[in-house]
Amino acid sequence: MRTIFLLLIIGMPVTAYLQEVKKYSRQKDRISIQLSEGTMQIIPISDKAIRVQWKKDSLREIKELVFTEKVPAPAMSFSDNGSELKIGTGTMSLIINKRSGTIHFNDAAGKTFLSEKPGGRSLTPSSVMGQPCYVAEQRFHSPEDEFLFGLGQFQDGHYNLRNISRKLLQVNSQIAIPFLLSSKGYGILWHQYGLTWYNPTDQLIALHKRTAPSATGAEAEVTTTSGSQRINQQQVLHEGQFNVEKEGEYILMLDLGNMDNRHLLTIDGQAVIDQSNLWLPPAVSTTIRLKEGVHSVQVVCKSDNTPALSWKAVADETTFRSPEAGMLDYIVFHGNDTDEIIADYRKLSGNVPMLPLWAFGFWQCRERYTSGEHLVRTVKEFRKRKLPLDVIVQDWQYWGKYGWGVPQFDETNYPDPAGFIGQLHELHAKFSLSVWENIDKRSAVAKEYLQKDLYIPNSPWIDIYNPETQRTHWQVLNRNLFSYGVDSWWMDATEPENDALAGKQTYFGLGNFYRLTYPLLVSKAVYEGQRTTNPGKRVTILTRSAFPGQQRYGTINWSGDIGWNWDTYKRQIVAGLNFSITGMPYWTTDIGGFFRPGPGQYTNKEYSDILTRWFQWGAFSPVFRIHGYQTETEPWKYGDTVEANMRSMMNLRYRLLPYLYSEAWQVTRNGSTIMRPLLMDFREDTLAINQPYEYMFGRSMLVAPVTEPGVTQWKVYLPRWKGWYDFHTGKRYNGGQTVTAHAPQDIIPVFVKAGSIIPLAEVMQYTGEKNMDTLELRIYKGADGQFNLYEDEGDGYNYEKGKYSLIPFKWNDKKQQLTIGRREGTFTGLLSKRVFNIKDAEKPGMIKSILYNGNLIITDLK
């Protein structure tokens, strides 16, 4: 099917897609334009966002899953100068050429920041399972100096996504978010719910399967210029050739069809893609420079997969293509910076609720705890060893005799759920529990779903698109789990696993048209159900997949069942940065990898090195969580040195809670992002934007994780700014340079911007152990700065009613003067008096201690 489709696309003349404007009409909130083919709607949806919809006939998407917020339509200007139509919002405008139908977008000063390519818009008739649809495609100009980020979480290791090809599909370890952000000051949401190709490669390379390796289990070798590559009896080798007419840069896309355990592509004997793991997404791409002429390729994959290898020359364009669409639909956002773009996107698609304070502490997880007593015993050991912890997680199979995925404790090992959860609460730990949506149909719990016909036909997955399924599912979770005291949900496999919607009929219709959206509806069901049942407990959902709009449901995502080596670890950093910039602020990984190196991991020094470095990075991730397959992940399992290093990072994380929780408020209140690619704060610094393994943690802290083994020093680029301070030593550096940071195994390089004010708490074993009435305030001189210390009840939704407080701090660098403003707001538990110990970050010791009672204080720090 893919081969036929690609051949059809290749044969279509571009000029056929030029669309002349025939007539138009102005309506209250939009301009409706009749083109030579079909009708286009230009809809300003905010001052900073304009929506473009084009349809040819009655086919269209009638469900609005993303833009759920009722936002007043902005004031719209309109003009026709004879050759162009112009629709404006005040901060941006859309101009459409009346002869070609081509669109470009301008800022308020009239400068073009995004343009469609002439003839680059198309709707090609198609069908899927007998149902009519279109192949919707849009191509945009992408100048050579543009940087592109987003599209969700991928394992391909790509940071800048310009001239990268991707298959946007939800699978384990891959999250497809069709939202792209540009260094040119715009964002695009490609508004499709089905499969989407980003920069599709249409020139297929014929592959021929070579004789499979021996079924006896013997391994074969693929010889490459970089060494022999071994393939086992479950893998096969495919070979082929292709010809390029001139030397240049080319994109290669390898699509294996299904999940695989090996991505190996060689070109002329050189391995250009090489990754192994028990689970890998179906598709992966790379760019490579090729000389003119014929090139030979080799592909290794599982014997039951059918690989498709395709290519194209790189071009100054960005393309979205959805093969199963009802219409063409995209939204362009524009802002002075990425924060403005993301804030506007969230204003339309749903704000991010506050996570509870405890969610920013440490999450202890493993595969798996085997009983309620095991969970309690583990938390007691954490407390005994002075290892801070706020959450302990129960992975799958607690259901035991009741059947796969059944949300019910097997009394054999969990005889008193309320009892052991109560013990965890007495130990000041929260309890998170794994829940699946493929509930064993033979179980008693499933009867309620079956009686109401709430499963997807011929599928183990419940039909979460049905509102009745959402209500029933929450009722079951509440009755069997939440009522016992469960604090948080681990919604696993919400893709759903293995692209399970393709070819299925759902409540909404054919699953192909909605195959990216299942996690959105699962999160909705749990969020709305819990908020209705107990509004005093903030909804906290850890989930493996996501879709635009999901940020409104209290979700945290993680990067799935990944491996453990250094290459995999590095890939997680860029995956997290690109995911976070799509508007999803809370993200984490399995620290140390899900699939680990077996029993030897506990004493293996090489693994201790990567585990320690990964743990350090986890402490500077939005959510701090460890996990591992068939592994005892507790710190003490890895020896005294590793445990001590982990304790040091845990202590630092808990000291940073006032800073982190205040940054979380900026996410909720002002649309900010915690894990920030350097594009977000240093858009004019090309060297900064080019750093794939550095990022801002909040607005003040630059984090540069160590991503190589056995090092004690680490190169860090400090963006152009008025100054930077080593967080650990206080040493000051100028911006715009690369420095060598001290990085022994117990230190992660962290630098703080001049002009920052960082509040630090005392070390604690869990959030709430200490009331934080005494805070250290570190002042990083060299620029003016400000910080708002946010506090609330730590849980519940009273903050939405104004029950919170803000203490504003301002630093005047010229006067060397700190102003602590009057406290704003109040809430139950507010500290009426507190002590701020002021410290010059560059100097040892405290400068002065200030007793604060909520009133204005101005103090000199000369």
Side-chain angles (χ1 to χ4, degrees):
M1 178 65 186
R2 174 172 163 80
T3 303
I4 296 172
F5 171 69
L6 292 178
L7 293 174
L8 287 172
I9 290 292
I10 293 169
M12 292 177 182
V14 171
T15 55
Y17 301 138
L18 295 176
Q19 296 293 320
E20 184 179 358
V21 173
K22 296 295 186 180
K23 60 181 180 178
Y24 59 84
S25 62
R26 178 172 181 172
Q27 301 168 29
K28 182 179 180 180
D29 65 339
R30 67 189 63 196
I31 304 296
S32 181
I33 303 171
Q34 184 65 50
L35 300 174
S36 51
E37 285 189 74
T39 303
M40 177 176 287
Q41 305 286 335
I42 308 297
I43 313 168
I45 56 177
S46 81
D47 288 338
K48 301 182 181 72
I50 298 178
R51 189 170 194 166
V52 177
Q53 295 181 323
W54 179 45
K55 65 185 183 69
K56 284 191 174 182
D57 50 30
S58 60
L59 282 181
R60 63 192 181 97
E61 177 53 62
I62 60 174
K63 294 177 176 60
E64 182 54 81
L65 303 181
V66 178
F67 296 114
T68 58
E69 302 304 299
K70 298 185 183 300
V71 177
M76 177 180 68
S77 63
F78 174 72
S79 63
D80 178 357
N81 68 5
S83 62
E84 294 179 330
L85 304 179
K86 181 177 180 181
I87 301 95
T89 66
T91 62
M92 65 181 293
S93 59
L94 176 152
I95 293 90
I96 180 166
N97 184 293
K98 292 175 68 175
R99 184 177 180 184
S100 67
T102 304
I103 293 171
H104 63 272
F105 297 85
N106 289 356
D107 61 21
K111 182 180 179 181
T112 298
F113 60 82
L114 175 66
S115 296
E116 293 183 344
K117 298 205 77 169
R121 182 192 320 124
S122 64
L123 284 171
T124 307
S126 185
S127 66
V128 55
M129 295 185 67
Q131 296 191 32
C133 64
Y134 285 101
V135 180
E137 176 170 313
Q138 181 68 64
R139 292 183 290 132
F140 300 93
H141 280 290
S142 176
E144 190 174 357
D145 63 344
E146 183 172 37
F147 293 82
L148 294 169
F149 302 97
L151 297 186
Q153 169 199 281
F154 282 72
Q155 297 299 322
D156 55 19
H158 298 306
Y159 175 60
N160 180 3
L161 307 183
R162 187 177 183 274
N163 276 322
I164 291 299
S165 183
R166 278 182 171 172
K167 182 181 184 180
L168 271 62
L169 190 68
Q170 312 288 31
V171 292
N172 187 344
S173 79
Q174 176 175 295
I175 302 173
I177 307 289
F179 186 75
L180 194 67
L181 260 162
S182 168
S183 60
K184 299 298 182 181
Y186 70 86
I188 299 176
L189 178 68
W190 180 251
H191 193 255
Q192 296 288 344
Y193 302 152
L195 168 67
T196 289
W197 292 91
Y198 172 73
N199 292 337
T201 52
D202 291 333
Q203 300 182 75
L204 278 172
I205 300 171
L207 295 175
H208 307 283
K209 184 187 294 187
R210 207 170 78 176
T211 304
S214 168
T216 63
E219 292 187 334
E221 289 188 352
V222 178
T223 302
T224 74
T225 57
S226 57
S228 296
Q229 302 281 344
R230 302 189 69 83
I231 60 176
N232 62 37
Q233 70 274 17
Q234 295 178 334
Q235 298 172 333
V236 292
L237 174 66
H238 298 258
E239 296 179 317
Q241 290 184 331
F242 70 111
N243 179 59
V244 298
E245 295 182 355
K246 62 179 181 179
E247 182 175 351
E249 295 290 325
Y250 292 86
I251 307 172
L252 276 295
M253 163 58 79
L254 175 61
D255 182 7
L256 302 178
N258 292 302
M259 298 286 287
D260 211 299
N261 54 25
R262 187 76 180 274
H263 289 161
L264 177 59
L265 168 64
T266 72
I267 299 179
D268 302 329
Q270 179 68 46
V272 296
I273 297 175
D274 189 2
Q275 186 182 12
S276 297
N277 189 38
L278 289 180
W279 289 105
L280 286 172
V284 63
S285 76
T286 190
T287 56
I288 184 173
R289 187 165 191 85
L290 296 173
K291 293 183 178 180
E292 175 187 345
V294 176
H295 300 273
S296 62
V297 298
Q298 294 179 316
V299 172
V300 171
C301 66
K302 289 167 60 177
S303 58
D304 58 351
N305 275 351
T306 304
L309 182 63
S310 54
W311 63 280
K312 77 170 195 174
V314 301
D316 292 336
E317 66 179 32
T318 296
T319 303
F320 290 95
R321 179 191 295 161
S322 294
E324 298 159 348
M327 60 189 292
L328 187 146
D329 188 2
Y330 69 87
I331 300 91
V332 172
F333 299 83
H334 173 66
N336 293 319
D337 54 42
T338 52
D339 285 292
E340 279 193 11
I341 294 169
I342 291 172
D344 198 56
Y345 159 76
R346 290 189 191 145
K347 181 178 74 174
L348 296 163
S349 63
N351 196 18
V352 178
M354 286 291 289
L355 294 178
L357 178 61
W358 54 259
F360 297 98
F362 178 66
W363 295 51
Q364 171 61 31
C365 187
R366 60 182 268 189
E367 200 281 311
R368 62 187 175 83
Y369 293 106
T370 57
S371 67
E373 186 275 333
H374 192 185
L375 289 156
V376 172
R377 172 164 33 96
T378 301
V379 174
K380 286 181 177 179
E381 190 65 20
F382 269 83
R383 298 291 181 241
K384 176 182 175 182
R385 292 174 178 265
K386 298 295 182 184
L387 292 163
L389 172 147
D390 261 275
V391 188
I392 192 163
V393 185
Q394 172 66 59
D395 202 347
W396 60 359
Q397 298 189 43
Y398 60 85
W399 45 70
K401 64 186 178 185
Y402 291 115
W404 175 265
V406 177
Q408 186 172 359
F409 289 106
D410 183 344
E411 296 85 355
T412 305
N413 294 310
Y414 305 87
D416 180 13
F420 86 78
I421 295 174
Q423 287 181 276
L424 294 175
H425 290 166
E426 289 173 2
L427 290 165
H428 305 285
K430 304 297 181 181
F431 181 57
S432 183
L433 184 67
S434 174
V435 174
W436 294 60
E437 277 64 55
N438 56 341
I439 302 167
D440 192 331
K441 293 181 180 180
R442 298 167 296 180
S443 66
V445 168
K447 289 181 180 179
E448 186 173 358
Y449 296 86
L450 290 167
Q451 288 169 355
K452 298 178 181 178
D453 196 23
L454 301 182
Y455 279 87
I456 296 172
N458 303 311
S459 170
W461 300 91
I462 61 175
D463 191 347
I464 203 67
Y465 298 102
N466 188 334
E468 181 57 36
T469 309
Q470 296 172 30
R471 287 189 290 269
T472 298
H473 196 44
W474 169 252
Q475 289 165 2
V476 169
L477 298 183
N478 181 37
R479 182 167 61 246
N480 293 342
L481 303 173
F482 189 66
S483 62
Y484 292 127
V486 169
D487 301 292
S488 167
W489 306 100
W490 182 4
M491 314 303 295
D492 209 341
T494 50
E495 298 88 8
E497 200 163 53
N498 298 324
D499 192 25
L501 296 182
K504 303 295 183 182
Q505 287 291 334
T506 74
Y507 179 83
F508 279 1
L510 184 61
N512 295 60
F513 298 123
Y514 300 99
R515 65 206 286 189
L516 301 187
T517 63
Y518 196 89
L520 175 70
L521 278 299
V522 173
S523 301
K524 175 180 183 290
V526 175
Y527 180 83
E528 293 181 349
Q530 182 180 316
R531 280 210 65 165
T532 300
T533 302
N534 183 1
K537 182 181 284 190
R538 291 180 196 168
V539 185
T540 307
I541 301 171
L542 178 67
T543 182
R544 201 167 73 187
S545 196
F547 192 72
Q550 189 167 301
Q551 75 281 347
R552 60 184 179 254
Y553 296 132
T555 55
I556 304 161
N557 283 90
W558 94 100
S559 59
D561 297 347
I562 54 173
W564 64 272
N565 61 21
W566 288 96
D567 179 58
T568 301
Y569 166 42
K570 291 174 68 175
R571 291 169 187 263
Q572 303 321 299
I573 298 173
V574 295
L577 292 174
N578 275 299
F579 181 77
S580 296
I581 208 170
T582 63
M584 305 284 179
Y586 297 119
W587 182 86
T588 184
T589 68
D590 292 351
I591 292 175
F594 180 68
F595 296 113
R596 297 184 176 212
Q601 66 183 284
Y602 306 109
T603 55
N604 184 297
K605 291 184 178 180
E606 293 180 358
Y607 183 70
S608 293
D609 190 6
I610 189 172
L611 176 63
T612 300
R613 294 304 191 184
W614 202 324
F615 198 86
Q616 291 170 354
W617 174 53
F620 285 89
S621 296
V623 172
F624 186 18
R625 167 186 166 274
I626 197 169
H627 187 47
Y629 177 63
Q630 295 184 344
T631 298
E632 299 178 28
T633 60
E634 294 78 21
W636 57 87
K637 303 293 183 178
Y638 296 88
D640 293 344
T641 300
V642 173
E643 180 183 354
N645 288 338
M646 287 185 171
R647 181 182 292 105
S648 174
M649 296 311 301
M650 291 165 142
N651 289 342
L652 177 54
R653 172 75 175 205
Y654 278 77
R655 292 206 69 196
L656 284 169
L657 280 175
Y659 171 77
L660 184 52
Y661 200 57
S662 297
E663 289 289 334
W665 171 245
Q666 294 301 321
V667 170
T668 295
R669 182 61 178 267
N670 296 317
S672 187
T673 298
I674 292 175
M675 189 176 181
R676 306 170 62 83
L678 296 186
L679 167 75
M680 300 189 74
D681 296 284
F682 306 100
R683 181 172 146 191
E684 303 303 320
D685 187 342
T686 302
L687 283 176
I689 298 174
N690 263 307
Q691 302 301 316
Y693 308 116
E694 295 182 19
Y695 62 96
M696 294 298 291
F697 187 60
R699 298 299 187 102
S700 298
M701 308 183 81
L702 174 73
V703 181
V706 173
T707 58
E708 294 178 6
V711 301
T712 58
Q713 294 183 320
W714 194 244
K715 297 289 186 181
V716 180
Y717 177 73
L718 301 177
R720 294 201 299 266
W721 185 250
K722 298 174 182 178
W724 293 89
Y725 293 81
D726 186 315
F727 175 76
H728 304 289
T729 67
K731 184 177 179 180
R732 190 182 187 280
Y733 298 87
N734 293 327
Q737 64 169 327
T738 297
V739 301
T740 300
H742 186 52
Q745 201 173 46
D746 61 341
I747 293 292
I748 179 173
V750 178
F751 291 82
V752 183
K753 283 172 60 178
S756 297
I757 303 168
I758 304 290
L760 296 169
E762 298 176 8
V763 172
M764 61 189 85
Q765 298 305 303
Y766 53 88
T767 56
E769 182 192 25
K770 298 175 182 177
N771 62 13
M772 292 195 272
D773 59 353
T774 301
L775 295 180
E776 176 184 322
L777 287 183
R778 288 192 188 174
I779 310 301
Y780 293 85
K781 298 179 179 180
D784 292 342
Q786 61 181 17
F787 184 84
N788 289 317
L789 180 66
Y790 172 84
E791 295 173 310
D792 63 17
E793 295 167 1
D795 209 342
Y797 293 95
N798 283 336
Y799 73 88
E800 294 179 345
K801 304 172 184 176
K803 302 295 185 181
Y804 62 86
S805 74
L806 290 170
I807 301 176
F809 300 91
K810 289 186 178 181
W811 171 250
N812 186 311
D813 200 60
K814 182 178 181 179
K815 295 181 178 180
Q816 294 287 285
Q817 193 175 79
L818 177 68
T819 298
I820 306 176
R822 186 180 301 276
R823 182 174 51 227
E824 304 170 14
T826 188
F827 61 91
T828 302
L830 174 75
L831 294 169
S832 59
K833 295 182 180 180
R834 60 199 317 160
V835 174
F836 294 127
N837 292 322
I838 315 299
K839 182 177 180 180
D840 183 338
E842 200 171 7
K843 300 175 182 178
M846 181 180 65
I847 297 176
K848 60 175 62 177
S849 183
I850 294 176
L851 178 64
Y852 177 77
N853 62 7
N855 295 318
L856 176 69
I857 295 177
I858 299 176
T859 183
D860 292 327
L861 301 181
K862 296 179 181 178

